[in-house]
Amino acid sequence: MAKEKSIYLCTECGGTSAKWLGQCPSCEAWNTLVESVADATPKNRYATTTRGLIASQPVTTLSEIEASDVDRQPTGIDELDRVLGGGIVAGGVVLIGGDPGIGKSTLLLQALDSLSRGMKTLYVTGEESGAQVALRSRRLGLNGSQVRVLAEIQLEKISATLDQEQPAVCVIDSIQTVYSDQLSSAPGSVAQVRECAAQLTRIAKRSGTTIVLVGHVTKEGALAGPRVLEHIVDTVLYFEGDTHSSFRLVRAIKNRFGAVNEIGVFAMTEKGLKGVANPSAIFLSTHGDPVAGSCVLVTLEGTRPLLVEIQALVDSGGPSPRRLSVGIERDRLAMMLAVLHRHAGVSASDQDVFVNAVGGVRISEPAADLAVMLAIQSSLRGKALPRGFIAFGEVGLAGEVRPAPRGQERLKEAAKLGFSVAIVPKANAPKKPIEGLTIHAVDRIEQAIDVVRGL
Ligand code: TYD
Ligand code: MG
């Protein structure tokens, strides 16, 4: 096949240019041009495919369109089905990202093996040889697995195999290793990843094959290269967790076929990933006696409350003290330190402040604020919070403590796990007392600090 000419496509506005330029000639954005294939009929190429990924149809009134719910095929791995919104969808494209070694290949091999009992499956490996995949499957105890394996990185060959094999589900491990002959850039480059993902998505839509793309994440935690990928695919899942601990979370960032608020929780065992059906207590570390700088937070991930220990260490710093956080946004930490100082008179301005959410969970909900601030204050005072203490609540810049959604559920879960003292936003205070739990309802941060000083 003759090599087609490249054009450069702006990732912001979709404008094109015949050669690479630093600035897009159409929208004047900088560094947005990426290499792409120039098709003989460029209009057709994108008209029905990459943008909407569905064939064009006449204009219809919304109420007249038949709204049938999509059929979901459960993967047989409950925690994965939970994040997927029930299972995989024919023709759906799923992107699953995560750090190296976190368990992406392991989970997908397990899922494919389970699916292969009822349908045709194909595992395309670009990172490991067939023998390595086989070795892993034996280690996972998947003997006699019917999963078909192809070790290949060239898109055109993968595409031909898909046409030939017609699997119901295909995993591409990983999209960064795949390259198309049509582009001159190296595998893993933005242009290649984009083009290959778009082509594979087209195949999925056309053939009804569910395609799962494995993606690597960069040091910053974004999927390498293309945010554009997130727009092309139907579902984006992220693996998170500390590779040194055995627990892993799978979180949905986007799901065209379901809700995105669920997380799946797994434990890595020597037999692969096992679902954890009742995960609320797995992110607590086990201290014999309470220690200073530790505060347990009840966070709500999806429909299940999770108890997560927040640890803070405040230590005298140099001329420009450091603020570091793991699992909590650093900007948010800076804001909380300012609020603590301004409204509660707790100053850490000449101190290094380190904050960590135990177990490698990433907490994005603002309801973590109160627990983080109490952990910082506890470390600063060198005095532990009482045994069985929990807190949650968002803290605003004015020092007000705002309610967290579904406070009752959080408190009930904490009580069930034997926690006995709680500081919560006033609006989250339960009307009826919860057995075994003493609740202090506060509406300002200084009140919360006063309460812990008196405990
Ligand atoms: P892997 O699935 O290869 O990660 P990724 O594809 O995301 O890079 O995960 C490999 C890690 O998991 C590796 O460090 C070994 C560990 N592991 C187990 O602990 N138990 C197992 O049964 C398997 C297969 C892997
Ligand atoms: Mg892998």
Side-chain angles (χ1 to χ4, degrees), residues 311-318 320-326 330 333-334 336-337 340 347-356 372-373 375-377 379-380:
Q311 296 185 329
L313 178 66
V314 181
D315 195 23
S316 58
S320 54
R322 284 181 294 174
R323 276 90 179 77
L324 286 178
S325 63
V326 179
R330 195 146 60 132
L333 172 62
M336 286 185 256
L337 288 171
L340 263 180
S347 171
S349 56
D350 55 349
Q351 309 276 324
D352 286 339
V353 180
F354 306 97
V355 173
N356 177 31
V372 173
M373 290 163 98
I376 292 171
Q377 194 258 1
S379 174
L380 200 58

Side-chain angles (χ1 to χ4, degrees), residues 89 91-95 162 168-172 199-201 203-204 207 209-213:
V89 174
V93 181
V94 180
L95 174 66
L162 279 169
V169 191
C170 170
V171 169
I172 310 283
Q199 291 281 10
L200 288 164
T201 305
I203 294 172
S207 65
T209 299
T210 305
I211 295 190
V212 182
L213 306 173

Side-chain angles (χ1 to χ4, degrees), residues 104-105 123 127-128 136 173 214:
K104 301 181 292 298
S105 307
Y123 184 88
E127 297 190 341
E128 293 162 331
R136 166 179 290 141
D173 190 0
V214 175

Side-chain angles (χ1 to χ4, degrees), residues 5 42 75 78 109 120 128 131 135 145 149 169 173 211 219 227 232 237 253 300 306 308 312 331 380 392 402 452 454:
K5 214 169 143 287
T75 61
D78 293 344
L109 195 59
K120 265 184 102 169
E128 293 162 331
L135 199 63
S145 175
V149 178
V169 191
D173 190 0
I211 295 190
K219 283 213 187 73
R227 293 297 314 265
I232 296 173
L237 306 181
I253 303 295
L300 205 71
L306 273 183
V308 180
D331 292 345
L380 200 58
F392 61 84
R402 299 198 202 122
V452 293

